[in-house]
Amino acid sequence: MGKPEVKGTVTSLSSVFPPEEMQKAAKMVEGKLSEKQNEMNQLKEFIADNTSLINLVQKLPDELHHDIMVPFGKAAFFPGRLIHTNEFLVLLGESYYADRTAKQTVEILKRRGKSLMSKVDALKAEMQDLKAEASFFDSTASEVADDLVEIREYEEDNSTERVSQSGPVELESPSVAEADNKVSASEDDEYARLMSRLEELEKEELAAEDEDANANATETETDSDEDELTEAAFHRKKVEGYSSLDHNQRYLVSQPRKQLQQSKGKDPMNEEMSTTYNHQDLTNQLACTGLTAEPVTKGEISRGRIVHQDTKMLNPPVNASVPSEKTSLKQIIHDSSRNEKPVQTPKSEFDSSKAFTGSIIEHTENLEKKLPEQKTTSSQSSDSKPSKPVSRFKMQRK
Amino acid sequence: MDSLRQEKIHKFEEFVDRRLKPDLVRAIAERDKVFDQQKIFSDLRKNIENLEKNSVTNLRTLVNLGSEVYMQAEVPDTQRIFVDVGLGFHVEFTWSEALKFISLREEKLERQIEEYTRLIASIKAQIKLVCEGIRELLQIPEEKTVEGRVF
């Protein structure tokens, strides 16, 4: 069944949220928070003054006169008396005053107190929002400090039905690191989901291949996907249903048409990228975001795995595509000549018309044997394999 | 060479921004306070002179109880006046005594203001000095590196 190719992006959180900006944002929020705090304190003072004034106003009418020291400016006093103790001149704002009795003044002051309280409540709500912002910034800053990496994966199921069927088997027996296992596990689930859709897609693909190929000639997505798709257009469709890489699928569909054009040079690069992405995507899908470092660090291993996986995926559905992919992969890994690709791609096209060999052998070496056309290429790749560490994995797969 | 200069320039700038400018701001604030005091006393003096001129004995005022709520107050005898002499003390004066005191107070305030003014001037001079030094450092290397630079 072939593993669905997993493509994705790896973005370190520090690039999305640069630490400096995080700190700046955190400081800004803190500043605002302190401002609000000051305002809050001021408002509380006003409220306290208001209540004490209410008490005073209520007490004053008890006496006819009160002996007081009357201020004269800011630095002098006159001894005097308070008279008309029930008459208050209240400032209503905008230089408007009102003569009121003690009771009426108390009512005015109480209304003022209410408005102050509502202001305090509004301030509290704002402060809470600011605190939430601050906590968010703090958590993100700590994440950035931990060098967490955000990994997004998109799964593309390029394998055909047969591939999918064999995929789980193949996937379940990865000889490589855990990622493979995890990948296979997730892939199994996904395959199960897509199985029902594969048949539909197959039919559609065949019909749409021609259309898509023409339309997406310019796309240059991963070559590996491309290779796979060349043989099985429907696989791509399955992948579409699988992942969000519809464009990849189309790309693959169009690949057969323009393999030569696109494969040259780009393929190995794309393949490599796609394989690594696939690997990463798979691991991510399985393991979840926790595996931040693994996909990145396991680049080497992943490549080997991917090769296996890719080969697995490739084997069942597309004989031609597989070898082409493998060779392309090998090219990437081994930095071997890229002649294979162009050679293979046409072959893959040719093979796509044929039925699948049904062989699930994932090893690129096996595939090479199967496909006589690719013998030369495969032999080349096989030769190159042992020389490179990646081949070790392939050997194990076999 | 240039990097050293850059460092020096940077240090000078930092010195100006961190030490001198805040000092300047503080000195100006202090001087403003003294200005306010001076104004208060001059107002008081004018009022007392006014009272004396009009031979006012009774006085009706509005006393601020807080939050702009006023109440009428009466001063039956304006001969005695209590003036704030600092440290929370108010001394009972007659008008003429009050006027004398106020004039003494005003003199003292003026001297304070002058001191602050001198301090502010010295800080400003220091800032200018540092700025000139920076400019020199910048110009000299520029002359060397930039050909045909014309002052």
Side-chain angles (χ1 to χ4, degrees):
Chain A
M1 62 186 170
K3 287 180 179 178
E5 292 192 1
V6 181
K7 297 169 192 172
T9 58
V10 176
T11 53
S12 78
L13 276 179
S14 56
S15 65
V16 176
F17 301 113
E20 294 175 355
E21 290 187 11
M22 294 300 308
Q23 286 175 11
K24 281 185 201 170
K27 278 182 192 171
M28 272 180 61
V29 174
E30 278 181 34
K32 283 185 194 170
L33 201 61
S34 60
E35 274 182 33
K36 298 291 175 186
Q37 189 67 47
N38 289 340
E39 285 183 32
M40 177 79 85
N41 292 340
Q42 214 184 16
L43 280 179
K44 285 192 176 163
E45 264 188 51
F46 288 156
I47 292 175
D49 286 346
N50 209 35
T51 42
S52 67
L53 187 62
I54 288 174
N55 290 337
L56 181 68
V57 168
Q58 281 168 343
K59 272 199 220 156
L60 278 179
D62 294 345
E63 296 283 327
L64 268 180
H65 303 112
H66 289 274
D67 285 328
I68 58 163
M69 289 294 277
V70 182
F72 193 66
K74 289 240 176 101
F77 291 94
F78 277 118
R81 289 195 304 179
L82 273 181
I83 56 174
H84 299 162
T85 53
N86 204 30
E87 291 170 24
F88 293 88
L89 192 68
V90 186
L91 174 70
L92 304 176
E94 285 297 308
S95 307
Y96 276 92
Y97 290 84
D99 253 325
R100 297 261 92 184
T101 67
K103 264 196 195 168
Q104 292 159 337
T105 312
V106 166
E107 284 171 18
I108 291 175
L109 291 175
K110 281 192 178 164
R111 284 197 287 271
R112 277 191 199 166
K114 267 192 203 170
S115 71
L116 282 176
M117 290 298 292
S118 65
K119 277 187 192 172
V120 166
D121 292 338
L123 252 189
K124 274 186 190 170
E126 281 184 33
M127 278 176 66
Q128 277 193 5
D129 289 343
L130 284 176
K131 279 178 189 170
E133 260 189 72
S135 64
F136 163 73
F137 283 134
D138 285 341
S139 61
T140 338
S142 61
E143 282 180 13
V144 169
D146 291 342
D147 289 333
L148 285 185
V149 171
E150 183 184 341
I151 301 172
R152 286 205 189 132
E153 293 185 345
Y154 314 91
E155 263 210 13
E156 179 179 346
D157 189 1
N158 300 327
S159 59
T160 60
E161 290 180 345
R162 302 178 194 176
V163 176
S164 60
Q165 290 170 359
S166 57
V169 178
E170 297 175 347
L171 293 173
E172 289 168 3
S173 61
S175 58
V176 203
E178 322 159 6
D180 282 343
N181 295 329
K182 293 176 185 175
V183 175
S184 59
S186 65
E187 290 182 38
D188 292 344
D189 297 340
E190 295 176 348
Y191 287 114
R193 286 181 298 166
L194 296 174
M195 284 301 287
S196 59
R197 212 189 150 187
L198 288 175
E199 296 181 3
E200 301 175 11
L201 291 173
E202 286 181 22
K203 297 172 189 176
E204 295 176 4
E205 252 185 316
L206 290 172
E209 258 190 0
D210 296 18
E211 300 173 356
D212 291 346
N214 296 330
N216 300 323
T218 55
E219 283 187 353
T220 56
E221 290 288 355
T222 60
D223 293 337
S224 60
D225 296 340
E226 176 182 358
D227 294 333
E228 291 176 354
L229 289 178
T230 55
E231 294 186 2
F234 60 89
H235 293 307
R236 298 171 205 152
K237 297 215 171 172
K238 291 172 192 174
V239 178
E240 284 178 355
Y242 214 118
S243 67
S244 59
L245 292 175
D246 290 344
H247 58 286
N248 289 338
Q249 295 167 349
R250 285 184 216 147
Y251 173 68
L252 295 172
V253 177
S254 61
Q255 281 299 344
R257 302 318 190 263
K258 305 185 181 182
Q259 283 174 347
L260 290 175
Q261 301 170 8
Q262 296 162 341
S263 59
K264 290 176 185 175
K266 292 181 188 176
D267 292 346
M269 298 300 295
N270 293 338
E271 269 195 0
E272 186 171 354
M273 298 210 358
S274 66
T275 54
T276 49
Y277 282 139
N278 293 342
H279 173 72
Q280 287 173 347
D281 290 340
L282 292 170
T283 53
N284 287 336
Q285 289 167 359
L286 296 168
C288 56
T289 56
L291 295 175
T292 56
E294 287 183 24
V296 179
T297 55
K298 289 180 183 173
E300 284 291 324
I301 301 173
S302 65
R303 267 196 234 139
R305 282 185 240 156
I306 289 169
V307 173
H308 293 293
Q309 294 169 357
D310 288 338
T311 57
K312 285 178 189 176
M313 291 159 56
L314 293 172
N315 288 329
V318 182
N319 299 327
S321 64
V322 171
S324 62
E325 270 199 23
K326 288 183 182 177
T327 53
S328 59
L329 289 174
K330 294 172 190 174
Q331 287 168 354
I332 297 167
I333 296 167
H334 305 291
D335 297 328
S336 59
S337 63
R338 300 177 180 177
N339 303 332
E340 295 177 339
K341 256 218 165 169
V343 175
Q344 291 169 356
T345 49
K347 290 180 185 177
S348 62
E349 287 180 3
F350 178 73
D351 290 339
S352 59
S353 63
K354 292 182 183 177
F356 303 100
T357 59
S359 62
I360 301 176
I361 302 176
E362 305 167 3
H363 306 300
T364 55
E365 299 172 7
N366 295 336
L367 290 172
E368 294 168 359
K369 294 173 189 174
K370 290 178 187 177
L371 298 170
E373 296 172 348
Q374 301 167 348
K375 276 178 187 175
T376 53
T377 60
S378 64
S379 63
Q380 294 173 4
S381 59
S382 60
D383 293 339
S384 58
K385 282 182 200 176
S387 61
K388 312 242 169 150
V390 177
S391 60
R392 185 186 352 135
F393 293 104
K394 293 180 187 174
M395 299 297 290
Q396 291 175 2
R397 301 270 345 222
K398 289 182 180 178
Chain B
M1 282 285 283
D2 284 344
S3 64
L4 280 177
R5 279 188 213 275
Q6 294 289 336
E7 271 188 40
K8 273 191 194 171
I9 290 168
H10 190 60
K11 275 188 197 169
F12 285 159
E13 284 178 357
E14 273 189 19
F15 179 63
V16 168
D17 283 336
R18 288 206 201 138
R19 288 281 312 279
L20 295 181
K21 283 202 179 150
D23 282 354
L24 185 66
V25 168
R26 261 181 269 138
I28 289 179
E30 294 288 314
R31 195 174 68 154
D32 288 345
K33 271 194 229 167
V34 183
F35 269 137
D36 291 342
Q37 282 278 80
Q38 198 189 35
K39 184 173 180 298
I40 288 170
F41 274 104
S42 82
D43 284 348
L44 184 61
R45 189 156 53 88
K46 283 184 196 157
N47 280 334
I48 293 176
E49 284 169 356
N50 222 1
L51 286 179
E52 242 182 322
K53 212 185 348 167
N54 296 335
S55 307
V56 174
T57 50
N58 295 341
L59 199 59
R60 277 243 179 129
T61 63
L62 283 170
V63 180
N64 189 357
L65 301 178
S67 302
E68 305 294 319
V69 172
Y70 294 91
M71 190 175 245
Q72 289 186 43
E74 193 192 24
V75 180
D77 179 21
T78 57
Q79 291 295 332
R80 298 181 304 158
I81 188 166
F82 289 77
V83 184
D84 174 20
V85 297
L87 297 177
F89 282 94
H90 293 74
V91 177
E92 190 177 348
F93 284 123
T94 60
W95 282 345
S96 46
E97 288 169 354
L99 284 172
K100 271 191 232 166
F101 168 76
I102 289 170
S103 52
L104 282 175
R105 198 67 197 275
E106 278 182 336
E107 274 180 30
K108 178 172 172 286
L109 289 172
E110 279 228 21
R111 269 181 266 136
Q112 272 186 355
I113 286 173
E114 223 191 281
E115 257 201 51
Y116 274 118
T117 309
R118 256 186 253 137
L119 178 67
I120 287 167
S122 75
I123 293 175
K124 281 189 183 170
Q126 285 177 24
I127 291 174
K128 273 207 171 173
L129 189 68
V130 174
C131 283
E132 277 299 314
I134 292 172
R135 251 176 257 144
E136 268 192 36
L137 282 176
L138 284 174
Q139 284 174 5
I140 293 173
E142 281 178 5
E143 284 175 355
K144 287 179 186 172
T145 55
V146 178
E147 289 183 13
R149 181 192 164 99
V150 179
F151 275 95

